[in-house]
């Protein structure tokens, strides 16, 4: 597989939104399945692209996955503080998993963070069941930051997102 990482084109926003939503649904990451309130957010790549940089992994013209790179605090960031970039909505198709697409997207985000003036760290949130993603983050030097773990849906006691940080 020859993986290329580049900025998403507007005509890819809808397919990437579908791919991202499908990955979360198929992995059982949305408590309410097709009616989960986070599903429209995952599908709305255009809104993320308006406020951040959306990257895709492609093999030729085949879309393998995507991620959102947020340069700092703002409307798309969940946990970034001043001097921190944030990684959001990393998703890879099932057929491309284990082939390096996810790691390539995370590395591209790290490279962008290093090129961002004043950026000293990259942060992200992840669900506890996303073990393959955790392995990528830890292999690339991210460390857990339990003091920043948070619950995006406070009325659900069992939904705590784990956080990671890479100091640049």
């Amino acid at each position: 597989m020859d993986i290329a990482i580049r900025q998403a084109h507007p005509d890819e926003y809808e397919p990437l939104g579908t791919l991202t939503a499908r990955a979360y649904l198929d992995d059982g990451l949305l408590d309410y399945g097709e009616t989960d309130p986070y599903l429209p957010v995952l599908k709305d790549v255009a809104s993320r692209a308006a406020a951040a940089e959306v990257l895709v992994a492609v093999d030729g013209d085949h879309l393998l996955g995507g991620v959102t790179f947020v340069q700092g605090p703002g409307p798309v960031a969940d946990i970034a503080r001043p001097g921190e970039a944030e990684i959001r909505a990393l998703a890879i198709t099932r057929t491309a998993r284990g082939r390096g697409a996810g790691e390539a997207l995370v590395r591209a985000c790290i490279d962008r963070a290093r090129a961002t003036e004043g950026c000293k760290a990259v942060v992200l949130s992840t669900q506890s069941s996303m073990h393959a993603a955790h392995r990528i983050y830890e292999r690339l030097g991210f460390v857990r930051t339990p003091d920043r773990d948070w619950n995006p849906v406070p009325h659900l006691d069992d939904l705590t997102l784990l956080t990671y940080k890479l100091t640049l």
Side-chain angles (χ1 to χ4, degrees):
M1 180 185 298
D2 188 22
I3 300 171
I5 305 299
R6 60 167 171 74
Q7 191 163 345
H9 301 148
D11 65 336
E12 294 171 317
Y13 294 169
E14 187 175 336
L16 180 58
T18 300
L19 180 158
T20 304
R22 192 78 261 147
Y24 277 66
L25 284 167
D26 291 348
D27 288 348
L29 301 173
L30 300 175
D31 287 341
Y32 302 107
E34 297 281 350
T35 62
D36 196 287
Y38 191 51
L39 194 59
V41 175
L42 293 171
K43 290 182 177 180
D44 190 4
V45 175
S47 290
R48 288 196 299 278
E53 187 176 7
V54 176
L55 304 174
V56 291
V58 295
D59 181 4
D61 60 357
H62 186 68
L63 187 61
L64 306 175
V67 69
T68 301
F69 172 73
V70 186
Q71 284 192 352
V76 182
D78 280 331
I79 63 168
R81 298 173 180 161
E84 295 177 339
E86 186 169 339
I87 295 173
R88 300 277 323 271
L90 175 65
I92 306 299
T93 63
R94 281 194 181 267
T95 58
R97 292 183 185 178
R99 299 180 183 169
E103 183 169 331
L105 284 164
V106 174
R107 285 183 183 277
C109 290
I110 294 168
D111 291 345
R112 280 163 171 73
R114 286 191 171 121
T116 300
E117 186 175 337
C119 187
K120 296 176 174 41
V122 181
V123 295
L124 60 90
S125 301
T126 183
Q127 290 186 23
S128 61
S129 62
M130 296 177 163
H131 303 293
H134 301 170
R135 285 190 296 274
I136 291 171
Y137 306 141
E138 291 166 5
R139 185 169 50 249
L140 295 177
F142 284 82
V143 296
R144 281 275 294 117
T145 52
D147 58 311
R148 291 177 77 169
D149 292 354
W150 64 290
N151 183 338
V153 189
H155 69 276
L156 295 178
D157 292 336
D158 63 341
L159 180 61
T160 297
L161 296 180
L162 307 180
T163 59
Y164 281 81
K165 179 177 178 177
L166 173 68
T167 301
L168 302 175

